[in-house]
Amino acid sequence: MNGSTLLRFLFYIREYFFPAGCAVCGGTLLDARETWYGLCADCMAAITLEGTRRCSGCGRPLISEGDRCLSCRNGEEHGLDRVIALFPYAGSYRRLLAAYKFGPSRAAGHFLREKLIEGFSLFPPGEMESPVLVPVPPRPGKIKKFGWDQIAYLAKLLRPARRRPEGQDSAEDVTGRSPGEPPFPVYPCLKRLPSRSQKELGGADRKTNLRGRILCTRTAPAEAVLFDDVITTGSTLNACAAALRKAGAERVYGICLFYD
Ligand SMILES: [Zn+2]
Ligand SMILES: [Zn+2]
């Protein structure tokens, strides 16, 4: 069970007085589970992760044989060892992300956290040894505009629960997972210098826009997993991966909630 019973209860009470509704359909949230995840049971059940193989370059589901999709085979090399993207950025998925990012449903972060952890099962077993999550840094000014950093908040939710005091140590944290499985340590070591928003630019400009604009401020973990909300061309992930490798990372993976 994620989150203490008290915290769940507080989410339930808050929803009673300040109803945000389901992040996807806007319907009323009925019980403590629904208010904790910010989604009604029907919408939660409808959002299931497809276990299909993913293109190692861009993380999108693969239809053809081989390790890479057609556009990655024809395009340039990607700078990551493997990328996994979970859901198409459209329809109910788009509404879900918007409700989380721009309000009113910060509780949907709990749901996204669960999906991200589920998404790790799409990496080939044994591929990673001791991965460390590195959040993609926000553009300066973005936090000022929206009031908070949605990726950093998710990173906070993904961080493993603190160990219990000596003597009461348990082999599992509150997520019910054993050590060595996700969630992983979170290490926010990247910083982004001012640049234009990637959203305003086309593919070619996206690549040059971030050149030298992402810095690794500490020694990078040997095995880093970048994570972000949406992957479009992959330019942001590539720029982050280059900064991590320069700072000592040997393997860099990526996981994104949505692919556009
Ligand atoms: Zn709903
Ligand atoms: Zn691809």
Coordinates of all heavy atoms in Angstrom, one line a residue, residues 22 25 40 43, ligand 1:
C22 N -12.5 13.1 -11.1 CA -11.6 12.2 -11.8 C -10.8 13.0 -12.8 O -11.3 13.8 -13.5 CB -12.4 11.1 -12.5 SG -11.5 10.1 -13.6
C25 N -12.3 11.7 -16.5 CA -13.6 11.9 -16.9 C -14.3 13.0 -16.2 O -15.4 13.4 -16.5 CB -14.5 10.6 -16.9 SG -14.8 10.1 -15.2
C40 N -11.4 7.9 -11.1 CA -12.5 6.9 -10.7 C -12.0 5.5 -11.1 O -11.1 5.3 -11.9 CB -13.8 7.3 -11.4 SG -13.9 7.0 -13.1
C43 N -12.0 4.6 -14.9 CA -10.9 5.2 -15.7 C -9.6 4.5 -15.3 O -8.7 4.3 -16.2 CB -10.8 6.7 -15.5 SG -12.2 7.6 -16.3
Ligands
ZN1 ZN -13.2 8.7 -14.5

